[in-house]
Amino acid sequence: MLIPKGRGSLSEALFEGMRTNRSTFTDVLTTLADDDADLHISLWALYEMHYRGFEDVDDSLEWHPELIELRRSLESTFEQELRDRQPEVEIKEPFAEALFDFIAGHDGASLAAFVQRDATTEQVLEIMQMRTIYHLKEADPTAFVVPRLSAGPKAALMELQYDEYGGGSPVRLHSALFVRGLEAMGLRTEYGAYIDDVPVEVLHDNNAMSLFALNRRLRGASLGHLAAFEATSSLPSRRMAQGLERLGLAPEMIDYYTEHVEADAVHEQLAVRTICGALVAEEPWLVPDVFFGAFTCLDLEDRFARRMLDEWAA
Amino acid sequence: MSEGGHPDVILCPGGPMLLRGDHVVQDADGVEHHTTRPVSAVCRCGKSSIQPWCDGTHKVLPPKLRP
């Protein structure tokens, strides 16, 4: 993947500096983002240095102190915005039922319901392009959390991750299943291929996962995000599969969603009960962060869905 | 056999039965299904469309119809 196109003063200056392997970024540090899209594409690229990097950027910049300083500054702003959006939550007992109820109680827009009944083939292709940004690194952000946990939640998380990563088989890896679906639909499969085309809502979503996963203090939010993600996947995946069938689209992509109907019916139980349950049993002070992460997942997906539905006037 | 904190079978309140490891599950029609993942979720509400596995349908049932 090459570094994305800039979306404003900050990202343009930053990406130019990264491509030319500058030794100092002091001028970039004092450049303000023009808008949210400029901020989030900058943050996304800085996070991406910790995943697969860019072909046109030197790997050593991953830990350049000024780029870390910039990342810290951008992500602090973002974290505060996310926290400000969260309504007050009354957390009940028992924990697992309270978390399931909280997730079920979130009334958001549903792209899956739209795909099931009304979407055109072009609209589905557009959604798939947006989804590549996460699905091609499916489960990767959460993998960063593993060494930050004590034995109970760590073992439980690995049980889920092992399934995400295809039980050790590279062709069963969930991201590899998605690649087969993309190929069959005639879409590009390279990591980050559509990054220049995605709306800022996709970047919010992706950056929130990296923010939670790359900051050890936010491990509770990362696992809460995972729980909400898994617990809102099984039924919507069935709707996606039905929508794709309705439009006569590629069986390989239908398989991707069908696999998630079954897998995520397991994963939601694991994420809520054995993973988050074990986490808060050992670190009960993380309960509010688990709910913060869950809310953020639901809220950002809702904003993305609304954005797309508005765009299509659906 | 199960070690502490890692049971072979977990009954989820209102939801499926989680089954750890490799098993063969016979469905109500007598058809055998091999587990394919580290943990599998067996439907307990009877409403799943992918029997014998759970597909999350229990969550849209009224509470008294959930297992």
Side-chain angles (χ1 to χ4, degrees):
Chain A
M1 171 174 48
L2 299 174
I3 195 139
K5 288 199 184 91
R7 298 193 184 196
S9 312
L10 174 64
S11 49
E12 277 160 18
L14 171 65
F15 297 170
E16 179 56 25
M18 288 170 78
R19 257 193 311 267
T20 53
N21 199 11
R22 291 230 311 259
S23 55
T24 176
F25 289 84
T26 42
D27 56 326
V28 177
L29 276 171
T30 54
T31 305
L32 291 177
D34 294 342
D35 56 20
D36 206 32
D38 190 20
L39 185 153
H40 277 279
I41 195 67
S42 303
L43 184 56
W44 186 84
L46 291 170
Y47 280 143
E48 217 44 45
M49 291 299 292
H50 300 292
Y51 293 89
R52 308 286 302 277
F54 302 98
E55 290 157 49
D56 51 349
V57 174
D58 193 289
D59 287 343
S60 66
L61 288 184
E62 179 184 357
W63 294 106
H64 191 297
E66 285 163 7
L67 293 185
I68 297 295
E69 186 181 344
L70 177 61
R71 191 193 105 189
R72 290 291 303 124
S73 155
L74 302 180
E75 69 182 3
S76 304
T77 306
F78 183 39
E79 182 183 345
Q80 195 54 54
E81 280 170 15
L82 294 175
R83 290 195 181 275
D84 289 345
R85 290 184 64 84
Q86 190 191 14
E88 210 153 300
V89 185
E90 193 201 339
I91 299 164
K92 300 194 181 105
E93 296 281 342
F95 170 79
E97 277 61 38
L99 185 53
F100 267 126
D101 287 348
F102 174 73
I103 295 166
H106 192 274
D107 189 19
S110 170
L111 273 187
F114 177 68
V115 169
Q116 180 187 27
R117 293 190 298 262
D118 302 311
T120 63
T121 298
E122 290 67 35
Q123 289 167 337
V124 171
L125 288 172
E126 206 178 328
I127 294 175
M128 294 303 147
Q129 293 174 25
M130 308 295 164
R131 294 296 191 200
T132 58
I133 308 304
Y134 176 64
H135 289 351
L136 291 178
K137 63 173 178 188
E138 194 168 331
D140 290 351
T142 322
F144 282 120
V145 184
V146 175
R148 294 163 179 177
L149 303 172
S150 56
K154 177 187 284 182
L157 179 57
M158 280 310 298
E159 201 164 47
L160 186 153
Q161 291 289 92
Y162 191 59
D163 200 24
E164 291 283 350
Y165 289 138
S169 157
V171 295
R172 295 284 312 154
L173 208 78
H174 279 180
S175 57
L177 296 180
F178 193 66
V179 164
R180 282 208 288 286
L182 291 173
E183 276 169 355
M185 293 179 85
L187 293 169
R188 292 171 64 189
T189 60
E190 322 90 76
Y191 190 84
Y194 293 105
I195 191 64
D196 291 330
D197 308 323
V198 301
V200 70
E201 287 79 2
V202 172
L203 301 176
H204 288 155
D205 221 350
N206 225 243
N207 285 343
M209 281 191 259
S210 297
L211 164 71
F212 295 160
L214 289 169
N215 285 280
R216 183 169 54 84
R217 73 187 161 84
L218 295 174
R219 60 198 177 281
S222 184
L223 298 183
H225 186 289
L226 172 74
F229 191 95
E230 299 290 354
T232 52
S233 174
S234 206
L235 297 171
S237 290
R238 187 168 64 189
R239 293 179 153 177
M240 290 295 294
Q242 287 169 345
L244 269 59
E245 274 168 20
R246 173 178 64 79
L247 292 163
L249 294 174
E252 291 85 349
M253 193 56 98
I254 296 172
D255 287 349
Y256 172 82
Y257 284 102
T258 308
E259 158 66 9
H260 282 78
V261 174
E262 189 186 310
D264 292 346
V266 182
H267 293 177
E268 67 178 351
Q269 300 295 339
L270 296 179
V272 170
R273 294 177 195 283
T274 66
I275 298 171
C276 287
L279 177 78
V280 302
E282 291 186 21
E283 301 186 275
W285 54 90
L286 292 178
V287 169
D289 264 3
V290 170
F291 279 78
F292 167 52
F295 171 78
T296 299
C297 173
L298 301 168
D299 182 41
L300 294 181
E301 177 58 24
D302 181 38
R303 284 158 77 181
F304 170 60
R306 282 182 202 284
R307 158 78 184 236
M308 300 310 291
L309 295 173
D310 282 352
E311 212 165 283
W312 298 323
Chain B
M1 286 294 286
S2 169
E3 58 217 88
H6 198 243
D8 297 326
V9 175
I10 300 174
L11 299 178
C12 302
M17 172 176 77
L18 301 183
L19 209 48
R20 281 196 167 106
D22 293 330
H23 301 278
V24 178
V25 176
Q26 182 176 297
D27 69 20
D29 299 324
V31 181
E32 291 187 346
H33 301 262
H34 286 258
T35 56
T36 59
R37 49 186 85 252
V39 185
S40 303
V42 178
C43 171
R44 289 203 301 150
C45 75
K47 305 289 186 208
S48 169
S49 61
I50 53 165
Q51 298 288 345
W53 314 122
C54 170
D55 69 354
T57 298
H58 60 270
K59 293 195 290 184
V60 296
L61 297 176
K64 63 178 182 181
L65 292 182
R66 293 181 200 171

